[in-house]
mmCIF file with all atom_site columns, all heavy atoms in Angstrom:
data_model
loop_
_atom_site.group_PDB
_atom_site.id
_atom_site.type_symbol
_atom_site.label_atom_id
_atom_site.label_alt_id
_atom_site.label_comp_id
_atom_site.label_asym_id
_atom_site.label_entity_id
_atom_site.label_seq_id
_atom_site.pdbx_PDB_ins_code
_atom_site.Cartn_x
_atom_site.Cartn_y
_atom_site.Cartn_z
_atom_site.occupancy
_atom_site.B_iso_or_equiv
_atom_site.pdbx_formal_charge
_atom_site.auth_seq_id
_atom_site.auth_comp_id
_atom_site.auth_asym_id
_atom_site.auth_atom_id
_atom_site.pdbx_PDB_model_num
ATOM 1   N N   . CYS A 1 1  ? 114.230 126.441 99.194  1.00 97.00 ? 909 CYS A N   1
ATOM 2   C CA  . CYS A 1 1  ? 113.129 125.776 98.486  1.00 97.00 ? 909 CYS A CA  1
ATOM 3   C C   . CYS A 1 1  ? 112.443 124.758 99.386  1.00 97.00 ? 909 CYS A C   1
ATOM 4   O O   . CYS A 1 1  ? 111.206 124.633 99.384  1.00 97.00 ? 909 CYS A O   1
ATOM 5   C CB  . CYS A 1 1  ? 113.636 125.100 97.217  1.00 97.00 ? 909 CYS A CB  1
ATOM 6   S SG  . CYS A 1 1  ? 113.956 126.209 95.831  1.00 97.00 ? 909 CYS A SG  1
ATOM 7   N N   . ILE A 1 2  ? 113.222 124.022 100.144 1.00 97.00 ? 910 ILE A N   1
ATOM 8   C CA  . ILE A 1 2  ? 112.650 123.031 101.048 1.00 97.00 ? 910 ILE A CA  1
ATOM 9   C C   . ILE A 1 2  ? 111.707 123.702 102.038 1.00 97.00 ? 910 ILE A C   1
ATOM 10  O O   . ILE A 1 2  ? 110.610 123.204 102.311 1.00 97.00 ? 910 ILE A O   1
ATOM 11  C CB  . ILE A 1 2  ? 113.767 122.261 101.788 1.00 97.00 ? 910 ILE A CB  1
ATOM 12  C CG1 . ILE A 1 2  ? 114.550 121.381 100.806 1.00 97.00 ? 910 ILE A CG1 1
ATOM 13  C CG2 . ILE A 1 2  ? 113.183 121.396 102.907 1.00 97.00 ? 910 ILE A CG2 1
ATOM 14  C CD1 . ILE A 1 2  ? 115.808 120.770 101.398 1.00 97.00 ? 910 ILE A CD1 1
ATOM 15  N N   . HIS A 1 3  ? 112.118 124.854 102.550 1.00 96.00 ? 911 HIS A N   1
ATOM 16  C CA  . HIS A 1 3  ? 111.305 125.529 103.556 1.00 96.00 ? 911 HIS A CA  1
ATOM 17  C C   . HIS A 1 3  ? 110.155 126.337 102.955 1.00 96.00 ? 911 HIS A C   1
ATOM 18  O O   . HIS A 1 3  ? 109.270 126.782 103.688 1.00 96.00 ? 911 HIS A O   1
ATOM 19  C CB  . HIS A 1 3  ? 112.186 126.463 104.401 1.00 96.00 ? 911 HIS A CB  1
ATOM 20  C CG  . HIS A 1 3  ? 111.501 126.993 105.612 1.00 96.00 ? 911 HIS A CG  1
ATOM 21  N ND1 . HIS A 1 3  ? 110.993 128.272 105.690 1.00 96.00 ? 911 HIS A ND1 1
ATOM 22  C CD2 . HIS A 1 3  ? 111.218 126.416 106.810 1.00 96.00 ? 911 HIS A CD2 1
ATOM 23  C CE1 . HIS A 1 3  ? 110.443 128.467 106.876 1.00 96.00 ? 911 HIS A CE1 1
ATOM 24  N NE2 . HIS A 1 3  ? 110.562 127.360 107.572 1.00 96.00 ? 911 HIS A NE2 1
ATOM 25  N N   . GLY A 1 4  ? 110.173 126.537 101.658 1.00 95.00 ? 912 GLY A N   1
ATOM 26  C CA  . GLY A 1 4  ? 109.112 127.310 101.023 1.00 95.00 ? 912 GLY A CA  1
ATOM 27  C C   . GLY A 1 4  ? 109.409 128.784 100.905 1.00 95.00 ? 912 GLY A C   1
ATOM 28  O O   . GLY A 1 4  ? 108.537 129.559 100.488 1.00 95.00 ? 912 GLY A O   1
ATOM 29  N N   . LEU A 1 5  ? 110.635 129.198 101.249 1.00 94.00 ? 913 LEU A N   1
ATOM 30  C CA  . LEU A 1 5  ? 111.012 130.596 101.087 1.00 94.00 ? 913 LEU A CA  1
ATOM 31  C C   . LEU A 1 5  ? 111.252 130.950 99.623  1.00 94.00 ? 913 LEU A C   1
ATOM 32  O O   . LEU A 1 5  ? 111.173 132.112 99.237  1.00 94.00 ? 913 LEU A O   1
ATOM 33  C CB  . LEU A 1 5  ? 112.278 130.894 101.899 1.00 94.00 ? 913 LEU A CB  1
ATOM 34  C CG  . LEU A 1 5  ? 112.112 130.806 103.419 1.00 94.00 ? 913 LEU A CG  1
ATOM 35  C CD1 . LEU A 1 5  ? 113.477 130.826 104.097 1.00 94.00 ? 913 LEU A CD1 1
ATOM 36  C CD2 . LEU A 1 5  ? 111.245 131.944 103.940 1.00 94.00 ? 913 LEU A CD2 1
ATOM 37  N N   . GLU A 1 6  ? 111.603 129.949 98.829  1.00 95.00 ? 914 GLU A N   1
ATOM 38  C CA  . GLU A 1 6  ? 111.706 130.084 97.374  1.00 95.00 ? 914 GLU A CA  1
ATOM 39  C C   . GLU A 1 6  ? 110.811 129.021 96.746  1.00 95.00 ? 914 GLU A C   1
ATOM 40  O O   . GLU A 1 6  ? 110.689 127.912 97.277  1.00 95.00 ? 914 GLU A O   1
ATOM 41  C CB  . GLU A 1 6  ? 113.145 129.871 96.891  1.00 95.00 ? 914 GLU A CB  1
ATOM 42  C CG  . GLU A 1 6  ? 114.145 130.875 97.392  1.00 95.00 ? 914 GLU A CG  1
ATOM 43  C CD  . GLU A 1 6  ? 114.099 132.191 96.647  1.00 95.00 ? 914 GLU A CD  1
ATOM 44  O OE1 . GLU A 1 6  ? 113.289 132.309 95.705  1.00 95.00 ? 914 GLU A OE1 1
ATOM 45  O OE2 . GLU A 1 6  ? 114.868 133.094 97.013  1.00 95.00 ? 914 GLU A OE2 1
ATOM 46  N N   . GLN A 1 7  ? 110.198 129.370 95.634  1.00 95.00 ? 915 GLN A N   1
ATOM 47  C CA  . GLN A 1 7  ? 109.372 128.403 94.924  1.00 95.00 ? 915 GLN A CA  1
ATOM 48  C C   . GLN A 1 7  ? 110.141 127.848 93.735  1.00 95.00 ? 915 GLN A C   1
ATOM 49  O O   . GLN A 1 7  ? 110.626 128.621 92.893  1.00 95.00 ? 915 GLN A O   1
ATOM 50  C CB  . GLN A 1 7  ? 108.066 129.053 94.448  1.00 95.00 ? 915 GLN A CB  1
ATOM 51  C CG  . GLN A 1 7  ? 107.157 129.494 95.575  1.00 95.00 ? 915 GLN A CG  1
ATOM 52  C CD  . GLN A 1 7  ? 106.827 128.368 96.539  1.00 95.00 ? 915 GLN A CD  1
ATOM 53  O OE1 . GLN A 1 7  ? 106.471 127.272 96.115  1.00 95.00 ? 915 GLN A OE1 1
ATOM 54  N NE2 . GLN A 1 7  ? 106.970 128.624 97.824  1.00 95.00 ? 915 GLN A NE2 1
ATOM 55  N N   . PRO A 1 8  ? 110.291 126.535 93.650  1.00 96.00 ? 916 PRO A N   1
ATOM 56  C CA  . PRO A 1 8  ? 110.994 125.949 92.497  1.00 96.00 ? 916 PRO A CA  1
ATOM 57  C C   . PRO A 1 8  ? 110.218 126.173 91.208  1.00 96.00 ? 916 PRO A C   1
ATOM 58  O O   . PRO A 1 8  ? 108.999 126.365 91.228  1.00 96.00 ? 916 PRO A O   1
ATOM 59  C CB  . PRO A 1 8  ? 111.080 124.463 92.858  1.00 96.00 ? 916 PRO A CB  1
ATOM 60  C CG  . PRO A 1 8  ? 109.958 124.238 93.820  1.00 96.00 ? 916 PRO A CG  1
ATOM 61  C CD  . PRO A 1 8  ? 109.801 125.512 94.592  1.00 96.00 ? 916 PRO A CD  1
ATOM 62  N N   . ASP A 1 9  ? 110.933 126.139 90.095  1.00 96.00 ? 917 ASP A N   1
ATOM 63  C CA  . ASP A 1 9  ? 110.281 126.265 88.797  1.00 96.00 ? 917 ASP A CA  1
ATOM 64  C C   . ASP A 1 9  ? 109.562 124.978 88.419  1.00 96.00 ? 917 ASP A C   1
ATOM 65  O O   . ASP A 1 9  ? 108.535 125.004 87.740  1.00 96.00 ? 917 ASP A O   1
ATOM 66  C CB  . ASP A 1 9  ? 111.318 126.619 87.721  1.00 96.00 ? 917 ASP A CB  1
ATOM 67  C CG  . ASP A 1 9  ? 111.947 127.977 87.981  1.00 96.00 ? 917 ASP A CG  1
ATOM 68  O OD1 . ASP A 1 9  ? 111.230 128.890 88.433  1.00 96.00 ? 917 ASP A OD1 1
ATOM 69  O OD2 . ASP A 1 9  ? 113.157 128.124 87.746  1.00 96.00 ? 917 ASP A OD2 1
ATOM 70  N N   . SER A 1 10 ? 110.115 123.854 88.831  1.00 97.00 ? 918 SER A N   1
ATOM 71  C CA  . SER A 1 10 ? 109.464 122.562 88.594  1.00 97.00 ? 918 SER A CA  1
ATOM 72  C C   . SER A 1 10 ? 110.025 121.566 89.587  1.00 97.00 ? 918 SER A C   1
ATOM 73  O O   . SER A 1 10 ? 111.022 121.811 90.265  1.00 97.00 ? 918 SER A O   1
ATOM 74  C CB  . SER A 1 10 ? 109.696 122.083 87.161  1.00 97.00 ? 918 SER A CB  1
ATOM 75  O OG  . SER A 1 10 ? 111.078 121.891 86.902  1.00 97.00 ? 918 SER A OG  1
ATOM 76  N N   . GLY A 1 11 ? 109.355 120.426 89.669  1.00 97.00 ? 919 GLY A N   1
ATOM 77  C CA  . GLY A 1 11 ? 109.737 119.409 90.629  1.00 97.00 ? 919 GLY A CA  1
ATOM 78  C C   . GLY A 1 11 ? 108.815 119.410 91.839  1.00 97.00 ? 919 GLY A C   1
ATOM 79  O O   . GLY A 1 11 ? 107.915 120.261 91.954  1.00 97.00 ? 919 GLY A O   1
ATOM 80  N N   . GLU A 1 12 ? 109.041 118.478 92.730  1.00 97.00 ? 920 GLU A N   1
ATOM 81  C CA  . GLU A 1 12 ? 108.165 118.305 93.879  1.00 97.00 ? 920 GLU A CA  1
ATOM 82  C C   . GLU A 1 12 ? 108.980 118.144 95.164  1.00 97.00 ? 920 GLU A C   1
ATOM 83  O O   . GLU A 1 12 ? 110.077 117.596 95.151  1.00 97.00 ? 920 GLU A O   1
ATOM 84  C CB  . GLU A 1 12 ? 107.282 117.060 93.694  1.00 97.00 ? 920 GLU A CB  1
ATOM 85  C CG  . GLU A 1 12 ? 106.368 117.123 92.488  1.00 97.00 ? 920 GLU A CG  1
ATOM 86  C CD  . GLU A 1 12 ? 105.590 115.834 92.296  1.00 97.00 ? 920 GLU A CD  1
ATOM 87  O OE1 . GLU A 1 12 ? 105.880 114.832 92.994  1.00 97.00 ? 920 GLU A OE1 1
ATOM 88  O OE2 . GLU A 1 12 ? 104.672 115.808 91.447  1.00 97.00 ? 920 GLU A OE2 1
ATOM 89  N N   . ILE A 1 13 ? 108.384 118.640 96.261  1.00 97.00 ? 921 ILE A N   1
ATOM 90  C CA  . ILE A 1 13 ? 108.930 118.410 97.594  1.00 97.00 ? 921 ILE A CA  1
ATOM 91  C C   . ILE A 1 13 ? 107.823 117.794 98.439  1.00 97.00 ? 921 ILE A C   1
ATOM 92  O O   . ILE A 1 13 ? 106.710 118.330 98.513  1.00 97.00 ? 921 ILE A O   1
ATOM 93  C CB  . ILE A 1 13 ? 109.418 119.722 98.234  1.00 97.00 ? 921 ILE A CB  1
ATOM 94  C CG1 . ILE A 1 13 ? 110.529 120.347 97.390  1.00 97.00 ? 921 ILE A CG1 1
ATOM 95  C CG2 . ILE A 1 13 ? 109.912 119.468 99.664  1.00 97.00 ? 921 ILE A CG2 1
ATOM 96  C CD1 . ILE A 1 13 ? 110.974 121.721 97.860  1.00 97.00 ? 921 ILE A CD1 1
ATOM 97  N N   . TRP A 1 14 ? 108.130 116.656 99.040  1.00 97.00 ? 922 TRP A N   1
ATOM 98  C CA  . TRP A 1 14 ? 107.167 115.941 99.872  1.00 97.00 ? 922 TRP A CA  1
ATOM 99  C C   . TRP A 1 14 ? 107.655 115.946 101.319 1.00 97.00 ? 922 TRP A C   1
ATOM 100 O O   . TRP A 1 14 ? 108.833 115.723 101.590 1.00 97.00 ? 922 TRP A O   1
ATOM 101 C CB  . TRP A 1 14 ? 107.008 114.500 99.393  1.00 97.00 ? 922 TRP A CB  1
ATOM 102 C CG  . TRP A 1 14 ? 106.350 114.387 98.046  1.00 97.00 ? 922 TRP A CG  1
ATOM 103 C CD1 . TRP A 1 14 ? 106.844 114.805 96.836  1.00 97.00 ? 922 TRP A CD1 1
ATOM 104 C CD2 . TRP A 1 14 ? 105.065 113.834 97.777  1.00 97.00 ? 922 TRP A CD2 1
ATOM 105 N NE1 . TRP A 1 14 ? 105.943 114.542 95.830  1.00 97.00 ? 922 TRP A NE1 1
ATOM 106 C CE2 . TRP A 1 14 ? 104.841 113.942 96.365  1.00 97.00 ? 922 TRP A CE2 1
ATOM 107 C CE3 . TRP A 1 14 ? 104.076 113.251 98.568  1.00 97.00 ? 922 TRP A CE3 1
ATOM 108 C CZ2 . TRP A 1 14 ? 103.678 113.482 95.755  1.00 97.00 ? 922 TRP A CZ2 1
ATOM 109 C CZ3 . TRP A 1 14 ? 102.909 112.788 97.964  1.00 97.00 ? 922 TRP A CZ3 1
ATOM 110 C CH2 . TRP A 1 14 ? 102.719 112.915 96.570  1.00 97.00 ? 922 TRP A CH2 1
ATOM 111 N N   . LEU A 1 15 ? 106.742 116.225 102.240 1.00 96.00 ? 923 LEU A N   1
ATOM 112 C CA  . LEU A 1 15 ? 107.047 116.238 103.664 1.00 96.00 ? 923 LEU A CA  1
ATOM 113 C C   . LEU A 1 15 ? 106.120 115.258 104.367 1.00 96.00 ? 923 LEU A C   1
ATOM 114 O O   . LEU A 1 15 ? 104.896 115.369 104.264 1.00 96.00 ? 923 LEU A O   1
ATOM 115 C CB  . LEU A 1 15 ? 106.870 117.644 104.239 1.00 96.00 ? 923 LEU A CB  1
ATOM 116 C CG  . LEU A 1 15 ? 107.050 117.790 105.757 1.00 96.00 ? 923 LEU A CG  1
ATOM 117 C CD1 . LEU A 1 15 ? 108.476 117.458 106.168 1.00 96.00 ? 923 LEU A CD1 1
ATOM 118 C CD2 . LEU A 1 15 ? 106.676 119.198 106.214 1.00 96.00 ? 923 LEU A CD2 1
ATOM 119 N N   . ASP A 1 16 ? 106.711 114.287 105.039 1.00 95.00 ? 924 ASP A N   1
ATOM 120 C CA  . ASP A 1 16 ? 105.930 113.266 105.751 1.00 95.00 ? 924 ASP A CA  1
ATOM 121 C C   . ASP A 1 16 ? 104.881 112.626 104.838 1.00 95.00 ? 924 ASP A C   1
ATOM 122 O O   . ASP A 1 16 ? 103.729 112.415 105.243 1.00 95.00 ? 924 ASP A O   1
ATOM 123 C CB  . ASP A 1 16 ? 105.249 113.870 106.989 1.00 95.00 ? 924 ASP A CB  1
ATOM 124 C CG  . ASP A 1 16 ? 106.256 114.305 108.040 1.00 95.00 ? 924 ASP A CG  1
ATOM 125 O OD1 . ASP A 1 16 ? 107.376 113.769 108.054 1.00 95.00 ? 924 ASP A OD1 1
ATOM 126 O OD2 . ASP A 1 16 ? 105.919 115.195 108.850 1.00 95.00 ? 924 ASP A OD2 1
ATOM 127 N N   . GLY A 1 17 ? 105.267 112.354 103.608 1.00 94.00 ? 925 GLY A N   1
ATOM 128 C CA  . GLY A 1 17 ? 104.388 111.643 102.684 1.00 94.00 ? 925 GLY A CA  1
ATOM 129 C C   . GLY A 1 17 ? 103.344 112.500 102.003 1.00 94.00 ? 925 GLY A C   1
ATOM 130 O O   . GLY A 1 17 ? 102.505 111.977 101.256 1.00 94.00 ? 925 GLY A O   1
ATOM 131 N N   . GLU A 1 18 ? 103.374 113.828 102.210 1.00 95.00 ? 926 GLU A N   1
ATOM 132 C CA  . GLU A 1 18 ? 102.407 114.723 101.587 1.00 95.00 ? 926 GLU A CA  1
ATOM 133 C C   . GLU A 1 18 ? 103.126 115.790 100.773 1.00 95.00 ? 926 GLU A C   1
ATOM 134 O O   . GLU A 1 18 ? 104.093 116.405 101.250 1.00 95.00 ? 926 GLU A O   1
ATOM 135 C CB  . GLU A 1 18 ? 101.517 115.382 102.641 1.00 95.00 ? 926 GLU A CB  1
ATOM 136 C CG  . GLU A 1 18 ? 100.641 114.401 103.407 1.00 95.00 ? 926 GLU A CG  1
ATOM 137 C CD  . GLU A 1 18 ? 99.690  115.105 104.338 1.00 95.00 ? 926 GLU A CD  1
ATOM 138 O OE1 . GLU A 1 18 ? 100.160 115.933 105.157 1.00 95.00 ? 926 GLU A OE1 1
ATOM 139 O OE2 . GLU A 1 18 ? 98.479  114.857 104.259 1.00 95.00 ? 926 GLU A OE2 1
ATOM 140 N N   . LYS A 1 19 ? 102.648 116.021 99.570  1.00 96.00 ? 927 LYS A N   1
ATOM 141 C CA  . LYS A 1 19 ? 103.261 116.994 98.688  1.00 96.00 ? 927 LYS A CA  1
ATOM 142 C C   . LYS A 1 19 ? 103.066 118.406 99.225  1.00 96.00 ? 927 LYS A C   1
ATOM 143 O O   . LYS A 1 19 ? 101.990 118.767 99.702  1.00 96.00 ? 927 LYS A O   1
ATOM 144 C CB  . LYS A 1 19 ? 102.655 116.887 97.288  1.00 96.00 ? 927 LYS A CB  1
ATOM 145 C CG  . LYS A 1 19 ? 103.286 117.812 96.255  1.00 96.00 ? 927 LYS A CG  1
ATOM 146 C CD  . LYS A 1 19 ? 102.647 117.614 94.889  1.00 96.00 ? 927 LYS A CD  1
ATOM 147 C CE  . LYS A 1 19 ? 103.209 118.589 93.861  1.00 96.00 ? 927 LYS A CE  1
ATOM 148 N NZ  . LYS A 1 19 ? 102.573 118.405 92.537  1.00 96.00 ? 927 LYS A NZ  1
ATOM 149 N N   . MET A 1 20 ? 104.134 119.212 99.145  1.00 96.00 ? 928 MET A N   1
ATOM 150 C CA  . MET A 1 20 ? 104.035 120.615 99.518  1.00 96.00 ? 928 MET A CA  1
ATOM 151 C C   . MET A 1 20 ? 103.565 121.412 98.309  1.00 96.00 ? 928 MET A C   1
ATOM 152 O O   . MET A 1 20 ? 104.236 121.450 97.281  1.00 96.00 ? 928 MET A O   1
ATOM 153 C CB  . MET A 1 20 ? 105.375 121.132 100.025 1.00 96.00 ? 928 MET A CB  1
ATOM 154 C CG  . MET A 1 20 ? 105.842 120.466 101.320 1.00 96.00 ? 928 MET A CG  1
ATOM 155 S SD  . MET A 1 20 ? 107.354 121.195 102.012 1.00 96.00 ? 928 MET A SD  1
ATOM 156 C CE  . MET A 1 20 ? 106.761 122.825 102.511 1.00 96.00 ? 928 MET A CE  1
ATOM 157 N N   . ASP A 1 21 ? 102.412 122.042 98.436  1.00 95.00 ? 929 ASP A N   1
ATOM 158 C CA  . ASP A 1 21 ? 101.786 122.741 97.325  1.00 95.00 ? 929 ASP A CA  1
ATOM 159 C C   . ASP A 1 21 ? 101.362 124.141 97.792  1.00 95.00 ? 929 ASP A C   1
ATOM 160 O O   . ASP A 1 21 ? 100.410 124.285 98.550  1.00 95.00 ? 929 ASP A O   1
ATOM 161 C CB  . ASP A 1 21 ? 100.554 121.954 96.853  1.00 95.00 ? 929 ASP A CB  1
ATOM 162 C CG  . ASP A 1 21 ? 99.894  122.578 95.634  1.00 95.00 ? 929 ASP A CG  1
ATOM 163 O OD1 . ASP A 1 21 ? 100.277 123.695 95.239  1.00 95.00 ? 929 ASP A OD1 1
ATOM 164 O OD2 . ASP A 1 21 ? 98.981  121.940 95.070  1.00 95.00 ? 929 ASP A OD2 1
ATOM 165 N N   . PRO A 1 22 ? 102.088 125.192 97.360  1.00 93.00 ? 930 PRO A N   1
ATOM 166 C CA  . PRO A 1 22 ? 101.768 126.552 97.804  1.00 93.00 ? 930 PRO A CA  1
ATOM 167 C C   . PRO A 1 22 ? 100.347 126.997 97.467  1.00 93.00 ? 930 PRO A C   1
ATOM 168 O O   . PRO A 1 22 ? 99.818  127.899 98.126  1.00 93.00 ? 930 PRO A O   1
ATOM 169 C CB  . PRO A 1 22 ? 102.800 127.413 97.062  1.00 93.00 ? 930 PRO A CB  1
ATOM 170 C CG  . PRO A 1 22 ? 103.900 126.484 96.710  1.00 93.00 ? 930 PRO A CG  1
ATOM 171 C CD  . PRO A 1 22 ? 103.260 125.154 96.466  1.00 93.00 ? 930 PRO A CD  1
ATOM 172 N N   . SER A 1 23 ? 99.736  126.385 96.465  1.00 94.00 ? 931 SER A N   1
ATOM 173 C CA  . SER A 1 23 ? 98.378  126.785 96.103  1.00 94.00 ? 931 SER A CA  1
ATOM 174 C C   . SER A 1 23 ? 97.363  126.348 97.167  1.00 94.00 ? 931 SER A C   1
ATOM 175 O O   . SER A 1 23 ? 96.267  126.903 97.247  1.00 94.00 ? 931 SER A O   1
ATOM 176 C CB  . SER A 1 23 ? 97.988  126.197 94.743  1.00 94.00 ? 931 SER A CB  1
ATOM 177 O OG  . SER A 1 23 ? 97.871  124.786 94.802  1.00 94.00 ? 931 SER A OG  1
ATOM 178 N N   . LYS A 1 24 ? 97.735  125.374 97.992  1.00 94.00 ? 932 LYS A N   1
ATOM 179 C CA  . LYS A 1 24 ? 96.889  124.951 99.112  1.00 94.00 ? 932 LYS A CA  1
ATOM 180 C C   . LYS A 1 24 ? 97.426  125.640 100.362 1.00 94.00 ? 932 LYS A C   1
ATOM 181 O O   . LYS A 1 24 ? 98.152  125.051 101.153 1.00 94.00 ? 932 LYS A O   1
ATOM 182 C CB  . LYS A 1 24 ? 96.897  123.436 99.238  1.00 94.00 ? 932 LYS A CB  1
ATOM 183 C CG  . LYS A 1 24 ? 96.356  122.727 97.987  1.00 94.00 ? 932 LYS A CG  1
ATOM 184 C CD  . LYS A 1 24 ? 96.438  121.220 98.109  1.00 94.00 ? 932 LYS A CD  1
ATOM 185 C CE  . LYS A 1 24 ? 95.894  120.552 96.856  1.00 94.00 ? 932 LYS A CE  1
ATOM 186 N NZ  . LYS A 1 24 ? 95.993  119.070 96.920  1.00 94.00 ? 932 LYS A NZ  1
ATOM 187 N N   . ARG A 1 25 ? 97.031  126.893 100.508 1.00 93.00 ? 933 ARG A N   1
ATOM 188 C CA  . ARG A 1 25 ? 97.723  127.796 101.421 1.00 93.00 ? 933 ARG A CA  1
ATOM 189 C C   . ARG A 1 25 ? 97.746  127.311 102.862 1.00 93.00 ? 933 ARG A C   1
ATOM 190 O O   . ARG A 1 25 ? 98.791  127.313 103.513 1.00 93.00 ? 933 ARG A O   1
ATOM 191 C CB  . ARG A 1 25 ? 97.094  129.189 101.341 1.00 93.00 ? 933 ARG A CB  1
ATOM 192 C CG  . ARG A 1 25 ? 97.797  130.232 102.191 1.00 93.00 ? 933 ARG A CG  1
ATOM 193 C CD  . ARG A 1 25 ? 97.247  131.616 101.929 1.00 93.00 ? 933 ARG A CD  1
ATOM 194 N NE  . ARG A 1 25 ? 97.399  132.016 100.544 1.00 93.00 ? 933 ARG A NE  1
ATOM 195 C CZ  . ARG A 1 25 ? 96.960  133.174 100.051 1.00 93.00 ? 933 ARG A CZ  1
ATOM 196 N NH1 . ARG A 1 25 ? 96.328  134.029 100.840 1.00 93.00 ? 933 ARG A NH1 1
ATOM 197 N NH2 . ARG A 1 25 ? 97.138  133.467 98.773  1.00 93.00 ? 933 ARG A NH2 1
ATOM 198 N N   . ASP A 1 26 ? 96.602  126.917 103.396 1.00 93.00 ? 934 ASP A N   1
ATOM 199 C CA  . ASP A 1 26 ? 96.549  126.534 104.808 1.00 93.00 ? 934 ASP A CA  1
ATOM 200 C C   . ASP A 1 26 ? 97.410  125.308 105.075 1.00 93.00 ? 934 ASP A C   1
ATOM 201 O O   . ASP A 1 26 ? 98.154  125.262 106.063 1.00 93.00 ? 934 ASP A O   1
ATOM 202 C CB  . ASP A 1 26 ? 95.098  126.260 105.231 1.00 93.00 ? 934 ASP A CB  1
ATOM 203 C CG  . ASP A 1 26 ? 94.259  127.528 105.292 1.00 93.00 ? 934 ASP A CG  1
ATOM 204 O OD1 . ASP A 1 26 ? 94.852  128.635 105.288 1.00 93.00 ? 934 ASP A OD1 1
ATOM 205 O OD2 . ASP A 1 26 ? 93.027  127.429 105.322 1.00 93.00 ? 934 ASP A OD2 1
ATOM 206 N N   . LYS A 1 27 ? 97.310  124.336 104.215 1.00 95.00 ? 935 LYS A N   1
ATOM 207 C CA  . LYS A 1 27 ? 98.100  123.117 104.387 1.00 95.00 ? 935 LYS A CA  1
ATOM 208 C C   . LYS A 1 27 ? 99.587  123.408 104.227 1.00 95.00 ? 935 LYS A C   1
ATOM 209 O O   . LYS A 1 27 ? 100.421 122.904 104.990 1.00 95.00 ? 935 LYS A O   1
ATOM 210 C CB  . LYS A 1 27 ? 97.655  122.050 103.378 1.00 95.00 ? 935 LYS A CB  1
ATOM 211 C CG  . LYS A 1 27 ? 98.377  120.725 103.534 1.00 95.00 ? 935 LYS A CG  1
ATOM 212 C CD  . LYS A 1 27 ? 97.836  119.703 102.541 1.00 95.00 ? 935 LYS A CD  1
ATOM 213 C CE  . LYS A 1 27 ? 98.551  118.363 102.685 1.00 95.00 ? 935 LYS A CE  1
ATOM 214 N NZ  . LYS A 1 27 ? 98.040  117.366 101.714 1.00 95.00 ? 935 LYS A NZ  1
ATOM 215 N N   . PHE A 1 28 ? 99.917  124.239 103.242 1.00 95.00 ? 936 PHE A N   1
ATOM 216 C CA  . PHE A 1 28 ? 101.311 124.599 102.995 1.00 95.00 ? 936 PHE A CA  1
ATOM 217 C C   . PHE A 1 28 ? 101.903 125.318 104.208 1.00 95.00 ? 936 PHE A C   1
ATOM 218 O O   . PHE A 1 28 ? 103.032 125.044 104.630 1.00 95.00 ? 936 PHE A O   1
ATOM 219 C CB  . PHE A 1 28 ? 101.384 125.485 101.751 1.00 95.00 ? 936 PHE A CB  1
ATOM 220 C CG  . PHE A 1 28 ? 102.778 125.824 101.303 1.00 95.00 ? 936 PHE A CG  1
ATOM 221 C CD1 . PHE A 1 28 ? 103.629 124.851 100.802 1.00 95.00 ? 936 PHE A CD1 1
ATOM 222 C CD2 . PHE A 1 28 ? 103.243 127.138 101.369 1.00 95.00 ? 936 PHE A CD2 1
ATOM 223 C CE1 . PHE A 1 28 ? 104.915 125.170 100.381 1.00 95.00 ? 936 PHE A CE1 1
ATOM 224 C CE2 . PHE A 1 28 ? 104.525 127.464 100.948 1.00 95.00 ? 936 PHE A CE2 1
ATOM 225 C CZ  . PHE A 1 28 ? 105.366 126.474 100.456 1.00 95.00 ? 936 PHE A CZ  1
ATOM 226 N N   . THR A 1 29 ? 101.127 126.229 104.799 1.00 93.00 ? 937 THR A N   1
ATOM 227 C CA  . THR A 1 29 ? 101.576 126.943 105.996 1.00 93.00 ? 937 THR A CA  1
ATOM 228 C C   . THR A 1 29 ? 101.806 125.980 107.147 1.00 93.00 ? 937 THR A C   1
ATOM 229 O O   . THR A 1 29 ? 102.809 126.086 107.871 1.00 93.00 ? 937 THR A O   1
ATOM 230 C CB  . THR A 1 29 ? 100.544 128.015 106.403 1.00 93.00 ? 937 THR A CB  1
ATOM 231 O OG1 . THR A 1 29 ? 100.404 128.958 105.344 1.00 93.00 ? 937 THR A OG1 1
ATOM 232 C CG2 . THR A 1 29 ? 100.976 128.734 107.668 1.00 93.00 ? 937 THR A CG2 1
ATOM 233 N N   . ALA A 1 30 ? 100.893 125.023 107.314 1.00 93.00 ? 938 ALA A N   1
ATOM 234 C CA  . ALA A 1 30 ? 101.043 124.032 108.390 1.00 93.00 ? 938 ALA A CA  1
ATOM 235 C C   . ALA A 1 30 ? 102.287 123.175 108.171 1.00 93.00 ? 938 ALA A C   1
ATOM 236 O O   . ALA A 1 30 ? 102.997 122.839 109.132 1.00 93.00 ? 938 ALA A O   1
ATOM 237 C CB  . ALA A 1 30 ? 99.797  123.156 108.457 1.00 93.00 ? 938 ALA A CB  1
#
């Protein structure tokens, strides 16, 4: 889940102060 290989059902993961959001594809990939 941390790496994005699985998507959680709920909750949030933040990396370097920014939320990881799969719907924002380019940012999520970066």
Side-chain angles (χ1 to χ4, degrees):
C909 283
I910 292 170
H911 191 258
L913 293 168
E914 297 281 359
Q915 295 305 313
D917 296 323
S918 62
E920 299 176 351
I921 299 174
W922 292 66
L923 175 64
D924 294 336
E926 296 185 307
K927 183 179 177 181
M928 295 186 68
D929 184 352
S931 67
K932 299 177 180 178
R933 184 172 300 178
D934 290 345
K935 183 177 180 181
F936 186 67
T937 299

